[in-house]
Amino acid sequence: MSRIGPILKKYNLQPISFEQLGKVTKVVTNKGIFALKSISSKINPSFPTYLQQLFQQGFSRAVPIFPTIEGKYLVFYNQKFHYLMPWLKSDPPEHRGDYYHTFIKEVARIHLTTVRKQPINEKEITAHYEEVIKRWEERSQFLENFVDKAEQKWYMSPFELQFCTYFYETSLASSFARRQMDKWYELIVEKKDYRTALTLNNLSHTHFLFDENGRGYLSNFEKAGFGNPTNDLVSIYYHNLKTYPTLCTDCLEWFETYHGRFPLREEEFHLFLSYLSFPEPIYRCVRNYIEHKEKRTEREHVQRLQRAYWLTKNIEFVAVKLLEAEEKRKEETEEESHTE
């Protein structure tokens, strides 16, 4: 109690009992049950203002942050920031089969509520494109050099052997991402503006919480900021596809749900596919193996590489299917325009 007592005093609350659940503390007080979250002092302390702006714009499906008796939304104590929220459940109601669709709808609604158009600065766009392409080419060359060195050995390590079997498919993923980025650049330089929206970044379905009536609310705005709306989509798919090999047909339906409420522009769609598809997780595994080999066993390095490969292949299925659906949609639209 001595650890959270001084914090709760700022809200004029008296703790009765508490339960530590990761970064969140479930606190029973004299005025009800609350969630007290502790976060790094390095986080942007102005993030609660994004929540207030959302509420002012009529968006109500976000978990509110309670102010202290002094009107502050964050309490700095023991070298960390802390904030107080209502206690909500993280498990979806059993009867809610459309859980993910509801989650996606609310993400789309935040983007729709906060979308802004920004004028195109061709020099900045070109600089961004060239920076990304250069970074990806360096990563691809890094992986190719790793394979070349491994293949020159009499005996490869298990990690090296494993990566060599993945290298061709990794190269294909890189090429696919590059083509999508090229398409984005080709389209965006012809536009007069681009769109930004409030994005939560590092977004996961675990941040979707439920009240006693089964209504869902988005939480965790600590990394929120204005950026390309596709940032949140990439985050969602990364979190959900980080699993065993799967052909996630539900993922295709989630995109349709999002697109139905906040349609992506053509260039945004290709930007989304490019960032989603580049095999960054595999690159990081190889880099980590080279630079921090001694921190894990060979088996652990191999397991991490295998999971990164599974993620890349799961993403490949989704990205290819989404692209096929988009091309079919364009063909149908063109045929309709010719018949009119």
Side-chain angles (χ1 to χ4, degrees):
M1 293 292 185
S2 60
R3 182 177 60 81
I4 62 173
I7 302 170
L8 294 178
K9 190 175 181 181
K10 298 285 186 179
Y11 299 90
N12 198 24
L13 295 173
Q14 298 175 7
I16 297 171
S17 64
F18 71 93
E19 180 182 1
Q20 191 67 46
L21 302 167
K23 294 181 181 179
V24 177
T25 305
K26 181 180 181 181
V27 185
V28 179
T29 74
N30 58 323
K31 295 181 181 178
I33 304 175
F34 298 89
L36 180 66
K37 187 169 184 182
S38 302
I39 56 176
S40 168
S41 59
K42 296 179 181 178
I43 207 78
N44 180 7
S46 65
F47 78 85
T49 59
Y50 291 124
L51 260 179
Q52 303 314 311
Q53 290 170 11
L54 266 182
F55 293 142
Q56 289 167 9
Q57 291 177 276
F59 186 88
S60 59
R61 289 303 183 89
V63 180
I65 297 177
F66 294 127
T68 66
I69 54 179
E70 297 173 344
K72 297 179 180 179
Y73 289 97
L74 297 178
V75 174
F76 187 71
Y77 181 75
N78 273 352
Q79 305 303 311
K80 287 185 177 182
F81 283 120
H82 311 267
Y83 62 91
L84 194 71
M85 304 171 286
W87 176 257
L88 298 177
K89 298 176 181 178
S90 58
D91 298 324
E94 290 182 7
H95 65 277
R96 174 148 274 170
D98 60 349
Y99 163 54
Y100 276 93
H101 289 280
T102 306
F103 165 58
I104 294 288
K105 285 177 187 176
E106 296 305 330
V107 174
R109 202 153 67 87
I110 282 187
H111 295 167
L112 184 62
T113 301
T114 61
V115 67
R116 300 173 179 177
K117 289 184 178 180
Q118 309 285 353
I120 290 285
N121 182 316
E122 192 170 335
K123 286 185 178 179
E124 290 181 1
I125 292 293
T126 299
H128 174 73
Y129 167 76
E130 291 176 347
E131 178 189 345
V132 172
I133 294 302
K134 181 183 177 183
R135 183 170 69 246
W136 285 359
E137 287 177 345
E138 288 173 349
R139 278 158 163 66
S140 295
Q141 188 61 54
F142 176 87
L143 296 178
E144 188 174 338
N145 291 343
F146 181 80
V147 168
D148 288 342
K149 289 179 182 178
E151 289 179 337
Q152 291 171 13
K153 296 181 178 181
W154 281 103
Y155 298 103
M156 294 187 200
S157 71
F159 182 92
E160 290 167 335
L161 182 61
Q162 187 88 334
F163 178 70
C164 285
T165 64
Y166 295 158
F167 179 64
Y168 176 69
E169 290 173 286
T170 302
S171 298
L172 291 179
S174 299
S175 298
F176 179 85
R178 171 66 189 265
R179 290 196 300 274
Q180 299 310 308
M181 181 59 71
D182 288 345
K183 186 64 176 177
W184 167 79
Y185 181 67
E186 175 191 323
L187 294 167
I188 195 67
V189 293
E190 299 298 325
K191 297 284 185 177
K192 293 181 179 179
D193 57 53
Y194 66 96
R195 302 193 300 179
T196 62
L198 182 65
T199 55
L200 275 66
N201 303 309
N202 196 32
L203 185 59
S204 166
H205 68 277
T206 58
H207 300 151
F208 200 48
L209 308 177
F210 298 88
D211 65 14
E212 57 189 14
N213 296 314
R215 290 188 292 262
Y217 297 81
L218 287 165
S219 67
N220 198 339
F221 283 74
E222 295 151 20
K223 295 183 179 179
F226 276 85
N228 195 291
T230 60
N231 293 347
D232 281 342
L233 280 180
V234 172
S235 244
I236 290 169
Y237 281 105
Y238 254 68
H239 279 101
N240 283 282
L241 292 171
K242 198 178 290 183
T243 180
Y244 293 100
T246 181
L247 302 179
C248 186
T249 53
D250 286 344
C251 294
L252 309 178
E253 295 178 6
W254 301 340
F255 182 82
E256 291 303 318
T257 296
Y258 176 90
H259 194 70
R261 281 149 187 82
F262 187 76
L264 291 182
R265 291 177 170 182
E266 186 180 3
E267 70 275 10
E268 290 170 341
F269 175 74
H270 290 288
L271 185 67
F272 161 59
L273 289 187
S274 68
Y275 279 120
L276 179 66
S277 303
F278 187 78
E280 185 73 16
I282 290 180
Y283 163 78
R284 291 184 180 180
C285 279
V286 177
R287 184 122 216 163
N288 187 271
Y289 179 77
I290 292 173
E291 297 178 353
H292 307 288
K293 186 176 180 179
E294 70 288 346
K295 291 187 178 181
R296 293 185 176 87
T297 65
E298 186 77 15
R299 182 179 180 182
E300 287 171 334
H301 278 295
V302 170
Q303 288 173 336
R304 286 167 64 87
L305 177 62
Q306 185 179 51
R307 286 194 291 269
Y309 171 74
W310 287 343
L311 172 59
T312 301
K313 295 300 289 182
N314 290 345
I315 287 173
E316 177 189 294
F317 170 79
V318 173
V320 169
K321 289 297 183 183
L322 288 178
L323 184 59
E324 288 174 355
E326 180 63 19
E327 289 174 346
K328 183 179 179 182
R329 184 184 290 126
K330 281 182 65 178
E331 289 175 4
E332 291 173 351
T333 302
E334 289 173 2
E335 287 176 5
E336 289 174 5
S337 63
H338 289 320
T339 56
E340 289 179 356

